[in-house]
Amino acid sequence: MAIAKAERLMNLALCLLGTRRPLSKRELRESIEAYLEAGSDDSFNRMFERDKDDLRELGLVIATVENLDGEVGYLARRDSNSLPPITLDAEEAAALGLAAKVWQQARLAGAASGALQKLRAAGLPEDVDPYEAHGALEPRIPVHEAAFEPLMLACRDRRPVVFEYRKATAARPEPRHVEPWALECWRGHWYLAGWDRDRGAERVFRLSRITGKVRSRGAAFTAEIPDVVTVRETVASWAGETADRSALIRLRADAGYPLRARATAVRELGDGWDELEIPYGHGLDAWLVEFGPDVVVLGPAELKADVVDRLRAVAKG
């Protein structure tokens, strides 16, 4: 049984690596003898899905592509499955082992465990245990958005995606066609940076505002992918981290501690309110809205108008 499965996996891998175009399930079934011998379509489907997951677990990058007719095909691009020899010293291997510890979600736990096994083979010393607690702080990256995993795979495989996105100022979501570049976590929120095909410009999307399923499209990227450092700077700017002005707000006492942490000046007004001066950059209006009635914007006028517009959109939607 083990030999038969190994042969089946090898045949499937050779088919996926040897094709220049995506192969459908039907074509793969007709090409592999073990699949032809499957008793029914359900039996074949279960066998194929298990084999595909096993190959991915072994490290084969399998791209899933949907053609114009909606038919799904599979292929393993050689450029995505070819790596130069990897040589790690003890410090490098230990750092990568610690990075694998960061992912705590169940969907990524298996991949992190498999990565650690490969690190052992690549030089991670046996006496280095990345899962051992080395201090009071433990690195974790929370991921709660359902859109994270399909977008992560789309960024890895360089596949355009389509999803419904609700802007903070809009009452209803609208479709967006995006070439995904990278995912970045900024102050507890995940953002996708990419090329918006409909607007013909670079855009950043907050994952918590993506509604419904993320659907991939089988087409090549049309825009050049910038350097990863540039992407991070863009996310930081879009998330409101790049500030070139100051804003004046009233904040209810004993509330809005993240705002207080960023304040450059604080003055007690009495009657349970404080006056804060905070850095003002792109995205500050969306952040202030999250504090609801605990915040009142005093200036500048454009920031006050933006906050009012967002609150009205929330009230309508």
Side-chain angles (χ1 to χ4, degrees):
M1 292 291 291
I3 295 176
K5 180 176 181 179
E7 182 180 355
R8 193 174 70 240
L9 290 176
M10 179 64 70
N11 289 335
L12 177 58
L14 290 174
C15 284
L16 296 175
L17 287 167
T19 182
R20 294 186 177 181
R21 62 174 181 82
L23 297 176
S24 66
K25 279 187 179 182
R26 175 183 53 79
E27 291 173 313
L28 288 169
R29 186 176 187 181
E30 294 173 352
S31 303
I32 300 175
E33 183 177 358
Y35 290 159
L36 284 172
E37 296 174 355
S40 64
D41 290 341
D42 289 340
S43 177
F44 159 70
N45 285 329
R46 289 193 299 270
M47 186 186 303
F48 173 76
E49 292 300 327
R50 286 196 302 267
D51 291 348
K52 180 159 57 70
D53 291 341
D54 287 343
L55 286 177
R56 280 175 169 162
E57 190 68 25
L58 290 170
L60 188 69
V61 179
I62 301 175
T64 303
V65 181
E66 184 177 341
N67 62 24
L68 296 177
D69 298 326
E71 186 180 36
V72 176
Y74 307 90
L75 79 161
R77 296 184 176 91
R78 291 185 177 273
D79 56 350
S80 300
N81 289 282
S82 299
L83 289 175
I86 299 176
T87 303
L88 301 175
D89 58 29
E91 289 77 11
E92 292 170 336
L96 289 174
L98 181 61
K101 181 183 178 184
V102 169
W103 299 102
Q104 299 295 327
Q105 279 62 40
R107 297 296 297 271
L108 295 175
S113 177
L116 285 174
Q117 295 300 323
K118 295 176 183 178
L119 288 174
R120 292 289 186 196
L124 182 64
E126 291 295 333
D127 58 348
V128 175
D129 183 3
Y131 284 114
E132 180 183 351
H134 295 286
L137 297 179
E138 181 174 334
R140 292 174 183 262
I141 296 181
V143 179
H144 305 293
E145 294 85 355
F148 177 84
E149 187 169 1
L151 288 175
M152 179 185 67
L153 295 176
C155 290
R156 182 196 67 182
D157 298 337
R158 295 289 184 249
R159 287 185 284 107
V161 294
V162 178
F163 52 78
E164 296 285 329
Y165 188 77
R166 181 187 58 79
K167 295 194 299 184
T169 55
R172 297 180 181 86
E174 59 181 13
R176 309 296 284 266
H177 300 76
V178 180
E179 298 174 12
W181 292 339
L183 289 166
E184 290 289 335
C185 185
W186 207 267
R187 293 192 178 274
H189 297 290
W190 279 98
Y191 296 87
L192 169 71
W195 182 262
D196 191 319
R197 287 183 168 181
D198 298 325
R199 289 153 182 79
E202 177 181 339
R203 288 290 186 270
V204 174
F205 305 91
R206 184 162 157 175
L207 266 60
S208 60
R209 294 182 182 144
I210 295 177
T211 62
K213 292 184 177 181
V214 175
R215 302 183 301 277
S216 61
R217 290 291 178 263
F221 279 17
T222 60
E224 183 179 356
I225 303 174
D227 181 77
V228 65
V229 176
T230 304
V231 173
R232 289 171 182 165
E233 292 174 352
T234 301
V235 172
S237 174
W238 208 269
E241 294 299 315
T242 303
D244 54 4
R245 292 166 288 173
S246 294
L248 197 63
I249 65 171
R250 291 179 61 195
L251 181 64
R252 201 181 301 273
D254 300 324
Y257 293 102
L259 291 172
R260 296 179 184 276
R262 294 190 60 189
T264 56
V266 180
R267 184 169 65 90
E268 294 185 7
L269 297 178
D271 297 328
W273 289 89
D274 297 329
E275 186 178 270
L276 280 69
E277 186 174 339
I278 59 176
Y280 173 24
H282 180 86
L284 179 61
D285 53 334
W287 195 30
L288 292 177
V289 168
E290 296 180 5
F291 294 92
D294 292 333
V295 170
V296 177
V297 180
L298 301 177
E302 61 187 73
L303 175 61
K304 185 174 183 179
D306 290 340
V307 170
V308 171
D309 288 342
R310 288 181 178 272
L311 290 173
R312 285 175 177 168
V314 173
K316 291 179 181 179

